[in-house]
């Protein structure tokens, strides 16, 4: 496994690919979280619309304004998480592709 106290190049590259795949898995988890955060305001607004005939808009306006502001914040946060995750996933995929092209002996394990 080691020669003269140094790890082989294949082991180092496999380690780098493992780190990249772990980072990709983390980005996928952030993507899943972003989708959930984005869907929450839509669910709340759907419930409000479905029950709108049971309350008067004038009476609930002071409560509705902060709720809509909070929902807007959640939509912005969810959108940011989704786009950031997609960008990071593309970056990791590109880096893995670079390594597999540079080290053709490892390409069969990656693809």
């Amino acid at each position: 496994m080691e020669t003269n106290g140094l790890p082989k190049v294949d082991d180092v590259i496999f380690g780098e690919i493992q780190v990249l795949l772990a980072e990709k898995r983390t980005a996928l988890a952030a993507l899943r979280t972003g989708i959930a955060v984005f869907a929450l305001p839509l669910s709340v607004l759907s419930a409000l619309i479905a029950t709108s005939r049971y309350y008067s808009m004038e009476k609930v306006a002071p409560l509705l304004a902060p709720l809509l502001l909070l929902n807007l914040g959640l939509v912005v946060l969810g959108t940011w998480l989704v786009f950031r995750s997609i960008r990071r996933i593309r970056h990791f995929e590109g880096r893995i592709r670079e390594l597999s092209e540079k080290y053709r002996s490892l390409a069969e394990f990656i693809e």
Side-chain angles (χ1 to χ4, degrees):
M1 181 172 227
E2 293 186 7
T3 56
N4 299 334
L6 298 173
K8 292 188 334 187
V9 173
D10 290 351
D11 295 336
V12 172
I13 300 305
F14 268 133
E16 186 174 347
I17 289 172
Q18 284 179 332
V19 169
L20 289 170
L21 290 174
E23 290 290 329
K24 182 180 173 184
R25 189 173 51 243
T26 302
L28 287 168
L31 178 67
R32 184 184 62 224
T33 303
I35 291 170
V37 167
F38 187 81
L40 181 65
L42 299 176
S43 301
V44 170
L45 290 178
S46 296
L48 287 175
I49 291 170
T51 60
S52 63
R53 64 183 172 147
Y54 297 119
Y55 59 84
S56 171
M57 194 64 126
E58 297 81 29
K59 291 182 181 178
V60 295
L63 299 174
L64 198 58
L67 178 67
L68 292 177
L69 188 63
L70 178 66
N71 283 345
L72 177 67
L74 288 173
V75 166
V76 169
L77 175 64
T79 304
W80 178 76
L81 283 171
V82 167
F83 284 118
R84 181 176 178 264
S85 298
I86 290 172
R87 193 178 74 236
R88 290 177 55 95
I89 290 168
R90 286 183 180 171
H91 169 73
F92 297 136
E93 285 289 326
R95 184 68 180 128
I96 291 170
R97 192 177 319 109
E98 287 174 13
L99 289 173
S100 66
E101 289 172 359
K102 186 175 180 180
Y103 301 97
R104 295 305 301 165
S105 62
L106 301 176
E108 66 184 71
F109 299 111
I110 297 171
E111 296 173 4

